[in-house]
Amino acid sequence: MDLSVWYLVGAVLVFFMQCGFAMVEAGFTRAKNAGNIIMKNLMDFCIGTVVFILLGYGIMNSENYFFGLIGKPEYQMFTDFYGFDWSNFFFQLVFCATAATIVSGAMAERTKFLAYCVYSGVISAVIYPIEAGWVWNGQGWLVGLGYVDFAGSSVIHMVGGLSALVGAWMLGPRLGKYTREKDGTLRVNAIPGHSLTLGALGCFILWFCWYGFNGGAAADTAQLAQILGNTTLAPAVATFVCMVFTWKRGGKPDASMCLNASLAGLVGITAPGALGGDVAYEPVDVEDLAPVTLAGAPAAGHPQGGMTKLTIICREERFSALREAMAAIGVTGMTVSRVMGCGAQMGKVGQYRGVKMSMHLLPKLQVDIVVAKVDPALVVAAAEQVLRTGNQGDGKIFLTHVDNAVKVRTGEMDYDALQDD
């Protein structure tokens, strides 16, 4: 059977992986960064296409290689348009875009868009064409050593993974991801994504597209069937193992971990490999706040010796530090809401589809705390210490006297309603 048409269908599926990556990254990160992530995945392919046709493909597929390391740029797509191998060009183009977009997820929520555009252009124009030529151009030095990469395990996943590792190492973890305890140990803080549904959709899209990724280079239908079978077994087993592990460890299965496990299984079988997983590390220090215990009730700092409500408006990425600071001074109860707003500066006013906006509402967190035992002045001081960066948008703190409170479960009122059993 002639698989030339399937070769192009596989390339189309690999292109659609851009959608899957965009949905996975957007769903598993915070809503305020969705626009940045969508644009990065879009421009990975668009910038990559421009530089790959102008330089990258000519280097990778050159018939004149220097010492098996780098090819002399050639431009048959311009000099011989109808005789040019457009099938191979399109297949390599979508693979190049996939290698580039692997880095986006590793550096999500802490990369400026312009810097990412520069990276995307460099990897598509130079890095991928050179290293892919070593393996997939007959004159490459690795080909001369007998090296084989059937589905891009090293050309795409290893190079993309190493680039992601370097980027993540340079940037460090997201703010608030880690907390250093007093004894020097580290605690990992969860930063939940805003949409498990989007993340799941992205994982299913990637699984579907992986059939083209692994199966696009099949030589015949028998080999294609084997590839598709293995590409199904690996993520299914990886997801099942992850479900059992998280269920046993945490008391219930973890949906987000299981979705990531399916992707780990797909990457693992691309090599193929026996084990797959991901690791996160590199902590950042959070300034320690000494716990303060105030005996008696209520604290002297409260109006009329009663209760005070503090409403803290802050950046989402600073919430982990705020939460740790509150726990350190004895505040354990709070209500957290996602809100939109701006200060007197009207937000960073921009444009939407060419129309200037008079006000730009920014995503914030509203943290409501009612204290009766802890001095509200101490709460304010602790919050200021961890929230202040000196830039616009650090937030505000509002203090309001509370006349009374009722604990629904017990019927206790006033000061007693705020105390634990």
Side-chain angles (χ1 to χ4, degrees), residues 59-97:
I59 293 175
M60 175 184 173
N61 210 52
S62 175
E63 297 180 357
N64 299 289
Y65 251 64
F66 299 103
F67 309 106
L69 296 175
I70 186 171
K72 177 183 177 182
E74 296 178 352
Y75 297 96
Q76 290 92 342
M77 73 280 288
F78 300 119
T79 60
D80 185 17
F81 184 87
Y82 293 102
F84 180 64
D85 188 356
W86 287 100
S87 295
N88 186 59
F89 168 79
F90 180 63
F91 196 81
Q92 292 300 331
L93 170 62
V94 294
F95 268 47
C96 176

Side-chain angles (χ1 to χ4, degrees), residues 307 370 402-407 411-418:
M307 298 173 290
V370 178
V402 177
D403 293 325
N404 205 344
V406 178
K407 182 183 290 187
E412 294 172 294
M413 302 181 66
D414 201 52
Y415 171 81
D416 293 333
L418 300 184

Side-chain angles (χ1 to χ4, degrees), residues 54-389:
L54 292 179
L55 180 62
Y57 186 78
I59 293 175
M60 175 184 173
N61 210 52
S62 175
E63 297 180 357
N64 299 289
Y65 251 64
F66 299 103
F67 309 106
L69 296 175
I70 186 171
K72 177 183 177 182
E74 296 178 352
Y75 297 96
Q76 290 92 342
M77 73 280 288
F78 300 119
T79 60
D80 185 17
F81 184 87
Y82 293 102
F84 180 64
D85 188 356
W86 287 100
S87 295
N88 186 59
F89 168 79
F90 180 63
F91 196 81
Q92 292 300 331
L93 170 62
V94 294
F95 268 47
C96 176
T98 302
T101 202
I102 289 173
V103 180
S104 175
M107 303 191 302
E109 300 197 295
R110 56 201 190 280
T111 311
K112 287 188 176 296
F113 179 67
L114 177 59
Y116 188 85
C117 288
V118 173
Y119 146 78
S120 185
V122 170
I123 194 172
S124 299
V126 180
I127 297 176
Y128 176 83
I130 291 177
E131 55 90 9
W134 297 344
V135 179
W136 287 339
N137 187 309
Q139 301 178 64
W141 69 276
L142 285 177
V143 175
L145 297 176
Y147 188 86
V148 176
D149 184 349
F150 182 81
S153 60
S154 59
V155 170
I156 297 171
H157 290 295
M158 187 185 74
V159 171
L162 287 174
S163 300
L165 176 62
V166 171
W169 173 75
M170 293 175 64
L171 293 173
R174 290 179 288 178
L175 293 175
K177 179 63 179 176
Y178 298 93
T179 300
R180 191 178 298 278
E181 304 287 2
K182 293 182 180 298
D183 59 1
T185 59
L186 302 171
R187 183 172 75 253
V188 180
N189 300 314
I191 304 179
H194 81 283
S195 176
L196 183 62
T197 303
L198 275 183
L201 175 62
C203 286
F204 280 115
I205 289 174
L206 288 173
W207 190 330
F208 173 69
C209 293
W210 226 281
Y211 293 122
F213 192 100
N214 283 354
D220 52 50
T221 53
Q223 187 183 49
L224 176 60
Q226 293 171 354
I227 293 171
L228 298 185
N230 285 329
T231 304
T232 302
L233 290 172
V237 172
T239 307
F240 174 76
V241 172
C242 181
M243 181 195 70
V244 173
F245 176 79
T246 57
W247 202 337
K248 183 176 180 180
R249 183 181 182 184
K252 60 181 179 180
D254 188 316
S256 64
M257 287 290 288
C258 288
L259 290 167
N260 275 324
S262 67
L263 300 184
L266 288 164
V267 173
I269 199 58
T270 302
L275 296 173
D278 56 288
V279 179
Y281 55 94
E282 288 295 328
V284 290
D285 290 325
V286 177
E287 291 187 71
D288 290 331
L289 289 170
V292 176
T293 302
L294 300 177
H302 293 273
Q304 303 175 13
M307 298 173 290
T308 301
K309 178 181 178 181
L310 296 96
T311 298
I312 304 172
I313 308 296
C314 65
R315 302 176 189 268
E316 191 172 1
E317 61 268 21
R318 301 302 300 171
F319 173 68
S320 294
L322 176 65
R323 181 182 57 200
E324 298 301 323
M326 294 299 101
I329 62 173
V331 176
T332 57
M334 62 179 63
T335 300
V336 182
S337 306
R338 296 182 184 275
V339 296
M340 301 287 290
C342 64
Q345 298 84 9
M346 308 295 284
K348 188 177 181 181
V349 178
Q351 294 186 351
Y352 180 73
R353 297 193 175 190
V355 179
K356 187 175 180 180
M357 296 183 294
S358 59
M359 178 182 292
H360 184 45
L361 300 179
L362 303 173
K364 297 283 186 178
L365 286 185
Q366 177 177 317
V367 182
D368 292 308
I369 299 171
V370 178
V371 291
K373 189 175 182 179
V374 179
D375 192 331
L378 180 62
V379 178
V380 172
E384 284 185 321
Q385 181 175 343
V386 296
L387 297 179
R388 180 179 292 146
T389 66

